[in-house]
Amino acid sequence: MGDRYSDGVSSLGPQTMETLRKAKILVVGAGGIGCEVLKNLVLLGCERIVTVDLDTIDVSNLNRQLLFRREHVGQAKAVVAREVVARLNPRACVEAHHANIKDSKFSVSWFGEFEVAANALDNVDARRHVNRMCLAAGVPLVEAGTTGYLGQVFVIKKGETACYECFPKPSRVAYPICTIRSTPDKPVHCVVWAKELFKLMFGGGGESMLYEDAAVEKSAYAGLAAEAAATRSPAIIARLLVALFETDVAKQIEAGTYKTAKTTPKPLVGLRVGTPPSRAASDWDRREWTVEECAGELSLSIQDARINEFDKDDPAAMSFVAAAANLRCANFGIERQTLYAAKGIAGNIIPAIATTNAVVAGLQVSEIVKVLTSQKPSYTYCLRDPTRKGYLLQPTALDEPQPGCYACRSGSVTVALNTETTKLETFVKKFVVGNLNFVKPALDLGESGIYDEEDDRLSENLGSSLSDLPAGGIKDGAIVKATDFSTDLDLTIVVKHLPDLDDQQYPEGFRILSDQQGPSEPKKRSLRSDDDDDVGKKAPEVEEEEDDVEILEEPPPTKKRPKDDDVVLLLEEPPPTKKPRL
Ligand SMILES: Nc1ncnc2c1ncn2[C@@H]1O[C@H](COP(=O)(O)OP(=O)(O)OP(=O)(O)O)[C@@H](O)[C@H]1O
Ligand SMILES: [Zn+2]
């Protein structure tokens, strides 16, 4: 095989090197972890690689996505990654797709051509999809993710190990709307409020929920906010600041909102619009601004902000949110945040650490080698603090496929809902697509088709209640066969009629019964080590940004599901709350 691979031949043996050279390997995602994996694979001597990434290179990727340089900004990640790794090993043939892996061109048979696939993704949705495609195609999948200093890598093999969906993950942190509107007690509540204010003034991302229920206030403040956004006049902006941070708060106190509250807010009487903090100062985003500076910054950012959806990377939008959040913090006696910290909260960022990505990608490639050479794969955690034995990497045994998992065990799921009031459309959108993650669902009742994404003739059923559907309707005890053509998944849905489902607890209108496992009923994965600790199975996550601030929100103590109008912060996959020890 020549000199290029001589080190590999002497360490891994000629046979393994030949296996690696010939294996067709899929790498989904060419971001933080993906770049590292691609580089490792070609340097190891893998020559048949396909990568898919839907994104283009952003300047913020350059610090850690090692294949990319400034001149690549704006170009497709997959394409640039291919060009760069091809230079690292000209023998490697890398195929690049600038596309969404969920695109129908990446069919089950397309997946079936690979010997192994590796996920280097940053979201649950795409991960679930690849999980299902690999299960359907019988392709082993090496999953990986990092959250700051923490990381993990594990192998999914149909029928042998647990799949990505065997252990549903906690997914959301919700803040009650009244906390955001009236009784904040944490910086994050004020940041959420400021983001809603931004939405109110500059639009984007649906209606702001700040003043929804309070028509009177809505006319008083929403009107002024709209005027300030439209005119950008400093005088009107100054009036708005008084309205928001003095008058509104005073009014709420007067109305008795805080009679039973632990703390009463303070109106910012005589709020002065000071000089905004100087951007020339090196610490401008890392030091706490004074209240006057916040007012100045907010005024300036209102004058600068474009009508746009909030984006933490848009300087005017982020300054707006940091300044407004801090003024609100000042109202409620909450510690003010630097712009940098506020940005972390606003973007739900647990910043990525390049080294963790590199370590995880290395582990991932070692699992790829194990899969290709039929060695026993493992589940490896990458820890922040050493174990008692001094290890930072902790391999554990992989779990078995979970009997109730419909993704890898084409099993059944039982759902309770009101079959008389639930429309087929809701059932399909909220349950089959929204909860079960079907991409192209078709539903059969007995021998009759009742819904098929691709069959227009059946779309008239969408408006019917489940019990009124043809073929006897979906009533108590009905068995519906669901098929996802895109992921080749079959599932039996058993429907129970439940006329009085608690809509506070189950705002989506259905409840997955606990005797069956489904994504709404999280389970714990036990860590098999010589320790007695359990670790809630943490789904992998790939993170952004360069620095080392960790901002994590604990899920609310109650098990109550979020109500429709609660502000839900997507914190897709919190890291394990307990750390494994050896
Ligand atoms: N459905 C998908 N199909 C293809 N690629 C995807 C899909 N979802 C996510 N990705 C890619 O997975 C990669 C994840 O890597 P990572 O999070 O490190 O990068 P990033 O998103 O560029 O980071 P940042 O958010 O800081 O810009 C991204 O390049 C992203 O484009
Ligand atoms: Zn499974």
Side-chain angles (χ1 to χ4, degrees), residues 374-430:
S374 309
Q375 297 174 60
K376 198 172 171 218
S378 51
Y379 192 125
T380 308
Y381 288 92
C382 180
L383 310 171
R384 178 170 187 166
D385 301 312
T387 63
R388 275 179 268 160
K389 290 183 181 165
Y391 302 141
L392 284 164
L393 295 179
Q394 189 188 16
T396 70
L398 285 156
D399 282 285
E400 315 229 302
Q402 297 300 293
C405 175
Y406 53 78
C408 66
R409 287 271 148 151
S410 57
S412 75
V413 56
T414 303
V415 64
L417 42 72
N418 189 331
T419 55
E420 283 157 17
T421 55
T422 306
K423 299 259 189 286
L424 179 64
E425 184 166 16
T426 313
F427 185 73
V428 170
K429 278 199 185 143
K430 295 218 163 146

Side-chain angles (χ1 to χ4, degrees), residues 127-346:
R127 282 187 167 110
R128 277 185 169 185
H129 184 80
V130 177
N131 177 50
R132 291 183 187 190
M133 296 306 266
C134 286
L135 288 170
V139 175
L141 171 63
V142 185
E143 199 18 292
T146 65
T147 306
Y149 291 99
L150 306 177
Q152 59 188 329
V153 174
F154 61 97
V155 175
I156 298 164
K157 272 178 142 180
K158 186 172 172 124
E160 290 178 39
T161 71
C163 82
Y164 181 70
E165 293 171 81
C166 273
F167 299 95
K169 12 213 100 53
S171 57
R172 284 153 171 233
V173 177
Y175 300 107
I177 192 103
C178 57
T179 305
I180 305 302
R181 284 191 191 148
S182 316
T183 50
D185 59 21
K186 286 185 184 163
V188 65
H189 300 149
C190 299
V191 171
V192 172
W193 179 87
K195 279 173 82 172
E196 290 300 316
L197 180 66
F198 184 86
K199 216 191 273 179
L200 182 78
M201 293 183 68
F202 299 105
E207 200 182 329
S208 164
M209 51 68 181
L210 273 198
Y211 298 115
E212 240 165 31
D213 300 342
V216 181
E217 285 162 359
K218 185 164 180 158
S219 59
Y221 304 113
L224 196 53
E227 202 184 336
T231 60
R232 320 259 165 160
S233 141
I236 295 170
I237 293 171
R239 273 174 50 210
L240 174 68
L241 300 194
V242 171
L244 286 169
F245 302 105
E246 184 185 338
T247 326
D248 183 32
V249 178
K251 258 186 163 177
Q252 291 223 34
I253 297 170
E254 222 177 272
T257 309
Y258 302 100
K259 259 193 200 135
T260 55
K262 269 188 268 156
T263 44
T264 307
K266 283 197 181 64
L268 301 182
V269 181
L271 178 63
R272 217 177 55 81
V273 181
T275 313
S278 161
R279 282 165 171 71
S282 60
D283 66 344
W284 89 280
D285 62 341
R286 309 269 172 149
R287 83 171 161 83
E288 205 180 280
W289 300 336
T290 64
V291 169
E292 283 77 24
E293 280 178 328
C294 288
E297 186 65 37
L298 183 55
S299 171
L300 185 72
S301 59
I302 293 173
Q303 294 169 57
D304 279 357
R306 282 167 293 134
I307 305 222
N308 216 336
E309 195 148 339
F310 172 77
D311 175 357
K312 70 176 177 14
D313 294 320
D314 171 347
M318 195 53 237
S319 292
F320 176 106
V321 166
N326 277 331
L327 290 170
R328 183 127 173 116
C329 283
N331 276 144
F332 286 86
I334 300 167
E335 198 185 338
R336 291 198 299 282
Q337 303 294 305
T338 66
L339 181 131
Y340 179 74
K343 188 171 172 180
I345 300 171

Side-chain angles (χ1 to χ4, degrees), residues 488-545:
D488 221 5
L489 185 66
D490 283 324
L491 176 68
T492 303
I493 303 174
V494 181
V495 181
K496 298 251 185 255
H497 175 58
L498 195 65
D500 45 8
L501 189 73
D502 179 349
D503 62 355
Q504 291 257 315
Q505 210 181 351
Y506 300 101
E508 310 227 86
F510 61 83
R511 176 184 168 194
I512 298 193
L513 292 187
S514 51
D515 56 339
Q516 299 282 342
Q517 191 186 331
S520 307
E521 312 283 351
K523 257 196 163 180
K524 292 266 181 186
R525 171 185 190 267
S526 66
L527 183 75
R528 287 195 221 113
S529 69
D530 54 354
D531 199 289
D532 51 6
D533 260 355
D534 265 5
V535 166
K537 163 124 174 185
K538 176 203 164 290
E541 189 172 31
V542 179
E543 288 303 335
E544 29 255 66
E545 304 289 290

